[in-house]
Amino acid sequence: MVRYLRYLLPLAVFLLLAAFLWRGLALNPHDVPSPLVNKPAPQFDLPLLADPNVHVKRDDMLGQVWLLNVWASWCVSCRQEHPVLMRLARQNIVPIFGLNYKDTREEGINWLNDFGDPYVASGFDANGRVGVDYGVYGVPETYVIDKQGVIRYKHTGPVSDEALMTTIVPLVKELNG
Amino acid sequence: MKRYLIALLLCVPLVGQAKEATYENGNPEMYQRVMAISGELRCLVCQGQSLADSHSEFAVDMRNQIQEMMEEGKSDREVVDFLVERYGETIRYRPSLNSTTVLLWFGPGLLLVVGIGALYINVRRRKKAVLNQPLSAEDQRRAEAMLEQKSGDKQA
């Protein structure tokens, strides 16, 4: 047994290392786990993109499961994601609240007019302060927030149909009970 | 001479580009503090760069955020905690010591100790094995012949 150990041990170490490295290859280095998941969504109080006189707060959204989608007119990936959100909005499964991130009011509004508006409303976060509170680092980002205002999931990058069907929609349904 | 002059001219635009991330406003002392702390923080959108090294929009925003918080009188510790709260421990190049990072901190040292230990035991065991090995009659004769020859050389 001991005789075999000297051959088996290095082999075992090699296999372990190879398994870790193989796993590492499949990880996306841009995917930074958010510390905010399962924590209360940060408070905000923002003017609407469509109307600077109307403000919306985080607590206005309490009592329902909702998506917070961070977007901007300058964001190329948002364009790729946009049709997916439009389809989701039409299905009336979950309200999508937009966070218009570091944009100008005019360009933001034009973007929605040109491509369609999947949002129940969009808050206007011109200086990106709310974005920082939510740990936004790459637009688009999507948060699933439950009835108590707790972030339950964060998706970084454009939401695909697949991500919707396999993760986001099932989670929304589960949270809605 | 002309060739040297051209070579010199070719260097000119490079000097301009090698400049560090731009110094926007505030006093130089503040700038030093912002840069010192940015050097400890990972730029999440650009692989392998710190917030101090990067020109990406994310890094510039973060540096502005850090500077603003410092101007409000926040300590370095408070600024880092603020960012960790939002972006996670990943943003720090030197994550704090806790149950999930303990292997990260001490794993390499542990491996080194285990490796040296294994080497030590191995060498000792081998030494003992060599010492316990009796010489064959042939080897004994050769060794004696060599020793004799050596002492013979000295006398000569």
Side-chain angles (χ1 to χ4, degrees):
Chain A
M1 185 59 213
V2 177
R3 204 142 64 105
Y4 290 122
L5 198 68
R6 68 159 47 172
Y7 300 110
L8 287 178
L9 199 65
L11 185 68
V13 169
F14 168 77
L15 287 177
L16 190 72
L17 208 61
F20 273 116
L21 293 175
W22 182 254
R23 174 93 185 91
L25 280 179
L27 292 177
N28 178 3
H30 289 284
D31 207 5
V32 180
S34 173
L36 291 171
V37 171
N38 293 327
K39 300 246 171 68
Q43 297 285 351
F44 61 82
D45 184 351
L46 283 174
L48 289 186
L49 177 66
D51 185 352
N53 297 315
V54 182
H55 276 240
V56 64
K57 294 192 290 287
R58 185 207 81 151
D59 289 348
D60 296 342
M61 310 297 285
L62 287 179
Q64 59 182 339
V65 180
W66 56 291
L67 300 188
L68 177 73
N69 179 253
V70 185
W71 67 279
S73 67
W74 47 261
C75 154
V76 180
S77 308
C78 297
R79 248 167 238 218
Q80 182 192 335
E81 175 186 65
H82 188 262
V84 179
L85 293 183
M86 288 301 282
R87 279 196 288 278
L88 179 66
R90 251 178 260 133
Q91 289 173 320
N92 271 327
I93 298 172
V94 61
I96 313 170
F97 181 80
L99 180 69
N100 182 238
Y101 177 68
K102 296 182 70 176
D103 213 342
T104 65
R105 205 176 274 281
E106 195 195 338
E107 282 175 322
I109 291 172
N110 283 342
W111 197 83
L112 292 180
N113 287 339
D114 288 349
F115 298 107
D117 186 353
Y119 306 108
V120 288
S122 279
F124 182 56
D125 184 26
N127 57 16
R129 268 306 121 85
V130 174
V132 169
D133 279 343
Y134 276 81
V136 171
Y137 63 92
V139 193
E141 293 189 6
T142 305
Y143 300 79
V144 180
I145 299 171
D146 72 9
K147 292 176 184 172
Q148 286 77 39
V150 175
I151 296 177
R152 302 305 288 261
Y153 181 71
K154 178 186 176 184
H155 183 99
T156 307
V159 169
S160 61
D161 279 315
E162 196 199 343
L164 267 189
M165 286 310 123
T166 58
T167 317
I168 294 176
V169 170
L171 180 63
V172 166
K173 284 185 175 152
E174 186 196 320
L175 292 174
N176 271 322
Chain B
M1 185 63 207
K2 202 168 153 194
R3 227 199 287 169
Y4 286 117
L5 215 71
I6 290 170
L8 202 70
L9 278 173
L10 281 173
C11 292
V12 171
L14 293 175
V15 173
Q17 278 173 1
K19 216 168 64 181
E20 263 291 288
T22 46
Y23 166 30
E24 282 105 23
N25 46 33
N27 57 41
E29 214 173 289
M30 184 65 78
Y31 175 73
Q32 291 295 333
R33 267 185 78 197
V34 170
M35 278 315 188
I37 214 168
S38 305
E40 290 283 308
L41 297 170
R42 191 188 307 276
C43 172
L44 295 175
V45 296
C46 22
Q47 298 291 303
Q49 275 187 310
S50 73
L51 286 181
D53 300 331
S54 173
H55 292 266
S56 74
E57 202 175 328
F58 175 78
V60 174
D61 284 351
M62 285 297 116
R63 287 202 299 267
N64 287 337
Q65 175 86 29
I66 291 167
Q67 180 166 340
E68 238 170 77
M69 289 181 74
M70 284 180 168
E71 278 162 3
E72 285 166 17
K74 297 256 167 48
S75 71
D76 290 10
R77 182 68 195 268
E78 282 170 317
V79 172
V80 171
D81 286 349
F82 174 89
L83 292 173
V84 167
E85 226 170 79
R86 284 156 182 78
Y87 294 96
E89 205 61 61
T90 322
I91 199 168
R92 299 178 64 181
Y93 272 118
R94 291 189 287 179
S96 63
L97 188 59
N98 59 40
S99 58
T100 51
T101 56
V102 71
L103 207 61
L104 191 65
W105 274 103
F106 298 115
L110 201 71
L111 276 181
L112 185 69
V113 170
V114 167
I116 290 176
L119 185 70
Y120 180 73
I121 290 169
N122 208 327
V123 166
R124 276 194 50 159
R125 196 184 288 161
R126 202 174 285 193
K127 196 172 162 191
K128 216 179 276 173
V130 167
L131 284 178
N132 289 342
Q133 193 90 41
L135 280 181
S136 67
E138 170 65 23
D139 285 341
Q140 185 82 35
R141 210 176 314 118
R142 278 182 58 209
E144 269 164 18
M146 278 177 192
L147 284 170
E148 214 161 90
Q149 196 184 7
K150 207 170 180 192
S151 50
D153 286 351
K154 262 186 199 154
Q155 278 166 9

